[in-house]
Amino acid sequence: MVVLFVLATTSFAATTETFYGGYSNVATKGSIVVELTNISSKKNVILSETEAEVYFDDPTETLNMVVAYDYDEDEEITVRDILEYYNNNGGVPTYYADTAPVVVTAKTALSTFYFCYKGDIPATYEPKFYSFEEYVYDFENKQTYTEPPEDWLLADGTSATLSEPGKYFFIFVDDGLVSSSFPGIFCLHIGDTPSETPVPVELTKITVNPTTSKVLVNGKIVEFEAYNINGYNYFKLRDLAQAVNNTEKNFEVTWDAANNAINLISNKPYTPSGGELAKGDGKAKVAIPTTSKIYKDGREIFLTAYNINGNNYFKLRDVAKTFDIGVTWDGATNTIGIDTSISYVE
């Protein structure tokens, strides 16, 4: 069972915010990137279908609207499906602006840039287009068009300027080149007048349970304090660094407090800080998304991480892919294998 809590912090000044959705990996935070201006705060909201009605003229029709197709499951994806997915993963990102206008701009190519509002939408929509053929086969020389070609994608730079107070609901689908990429949604609330007290920004807390799998590192049993989060195994970053230390895939971990940043350095022995590979107590813990930036060899990368009891836990496969470490799974014996002598396989 996943239990949701919230931890409130305060955002003070209007600023530009960036929404990430869709497919992500170690190099890309999201295949859907959208920028919003004039935002005062943000929080994740568990949004029921009844509560979602405030955004739609016809809630039943909109919730049943087909937005994308899941080729892995061979089925259509509706707005209802996307809403359920976000609610099961911490809630729908909701942005707040004290006053209009707010400009919402695509920073990546999209196949869908959809937004709705109960009543006539007080917005100026300015689409830009790519030729799909140029985008796929001649990317470096692709042109941006103001009128859609025969086969088109929405180009980065497509924008909507929202000029009136109200509650808006946005749906995005990426360029379609990654068939398993999931659509992205967020809500936007624009107030009538500036608020005296900014809306809190909430970090979602979840209760997580220890991983029950046995772990072998280069054939030897190693005990980790690891946790299962949303179906994936998350390991303490420093434990992983210690476990592969003095191998051909070792890496250093350092902390930059001034910049709230984690630095990962390839092919360098790990320097223990104390407490690595300590045995856990087998009890559930509370996890909070890590807000620190992450750098590998001086270049920023994007990995999903959680803070549990003051330590950063990363998805095992993300770290393994970052450093080309082999990961295997034996379902019959419930065993995870970490092998530095082989390469990572997706």
Side-chain angles (χ1 to χ4, degrees):
M1 178 181 291
V2 176
V3 183
L4 296 176
F5 302 87
V6 292
L7 175 68
T9 60
T10 303
S11 176
F12 294 98
T15 186
T16 298
E17 294 286 340
T18 303
F19 166 82
Y20 296 94
Y23 176 76
S24 63
N25 57 23
V26 295
T28 305
K29 199 168 185 177
S31 57
I32 299 167
V33 183
V34 179
E35 186 177 89
L36 302 89
T37 65
N38 202 28
I39 300 301
S40 58
S41 59
K42 169 187 175 290
K43 65 178 179 179
N44 290 338
V45 175
I46 304 299
L47 188 66
S48 70
E49 292 184 13
T50 300
E51 291 168 328
E53 291 180 4
V54 69
Y55 300 95
F56 312 133
D57 283 328
D58 187 334
T60 300
E61 179 181 341
T62 304
L63 287 168
N64 289 328
M65 181 174 65
V66 175
V67 176
Y69 195 86
D70 187 335
Y71 292 93
D72 295 330
E73 298 295 330
D74 194 27
E75 60 185 22
E76 296 173 331
I77 299 174
T78 66
V79 175
R80 178 178 279 105
D81 297 327
I82 307 170
L83 187 62
E84 180 182 9
Y85 173 85
Y86 270 82
N87 282 337
N88 289 337
N89 288 275
V92 177
T94 302
Y95 297 89
Y96 298 84
D98 291 335
T99 59
V102 172
V103 181
V104 179
T105 305
K107 308 303 285 187
T108 51
L110 301 170
S111 61
T112 300
F113 184 121
Y114 173 88
F115 57 102
C116 52
Y117 173 92
K118 207 158 193 175
D120 295 331
I121 299 177
T124 301
Y125 177 57
E126 298 182 359
K128 297 180 180 180
F129 303 94
Y130 290 135
S131 159
F132 187 80
E133 184 173 349
E134 290 177 359
Y135 186 80
V136 173
Y137 299 109
D138 193 16
F139 185 85
E140 295 299 324
N141 297 311
K142 65 184 183 300
Q143 302 294 312
T144 301
Y145 301 91
T146 56
E147 296 294 331
E150 183 175 352
D151 292 310
W152 54 267
L153 284 170
L154 291 166
D156 45 292
T158 293
S159 67
T161 301
L162 311 175
S163 56
E164 298 291 339
K167 296 181 178 181
Y168 303 81
F169 189 91
F170 282 79
I171 302 172
F172 304 95
V173 181
D174 68 10
D175 58 22
L177 300 183
V178 181
S179 62
S180 59
S181 183
F182 201 77
I185 61 173
F186 64 70
C187 299
L188 171 63
H189 294 191
I190 304 177
D192 290 299
T193 57
S195 60
E196 295 181 3
T197 305
V199 178
V201 175
E202 297 179 351
L203 292 177
T204 303
K205 289 184 177 182
I206 57 175
T207 298
V208 297
N209 291 306
T211 295
T212 58
S213 305
K214 180 171 64 177
V215 183
L216 299 179
V217 179
N218 293 335
K220 297 180 180 179
I221 295 177
V222 177
E223 288 195 9
F224 289 87
E225 184 179 4
Y227 294 89
N228 189 285
I229 303 177
N230 296 327
Y232 294 97
N233 291 305
Y234 281 71
F235 285 65
K236 191 185 300 182
L237 180 61
R238 289 186 175 276
D239 281 359
L240 287 173
Q242 179 65 49
V244 300
N245 204 17
N246 299 317
T247 72
E248 59 271 43
K249 303 288 177 67
N250 60 8
F251 61 94
E252 176 69 296
V253 179
T254 63
W255 167 245
D256 182 352
N259 295 304
N260 186 31
I262 300 166
N263 295 305
L264 307 176
I265 305 169
S266 303
N267 303 316
K268 186 175 180 180
Y270 172 66
T271 305
S273 62
E276 285 83 358
L277 296 174
K279 187 177 181 180
D281 59 12
K283 297 180 180 179
K285 297 288 188 300
V286 172
I288 306 171
T290 295
T291 59
S292 305
K293 289 188 175 183
I294 305 161
Y295 293 89
K296 179 197 175 191
D297 301 331
R299 178 183 177 185
E300 186 174 8
I301 62 174
F302 303 98
L303 305 177
T304 302
Y306 287 86
N307 189 287
I308 303 174
N309 281 355
N311 294 296
N312 288 303
Y313 284 72
F314 286 72
K315 190 186 299 184
L316 173 60
R317 284 194 170 273
D318 280 355
V319 176
K321 185 173 183 177
T322 300
F323 294 103
D324 195 31
I325 299 170
V327 174
T328 61
W329 166 249
D330 185 339
T333 60
N334 189 28
T335 302
I336 299 167
I338 299 173
D339 191 341
T340 60
S341 69
I342 61 175
S343 293
Y344 177 80
V345 177
E346 195 71 59

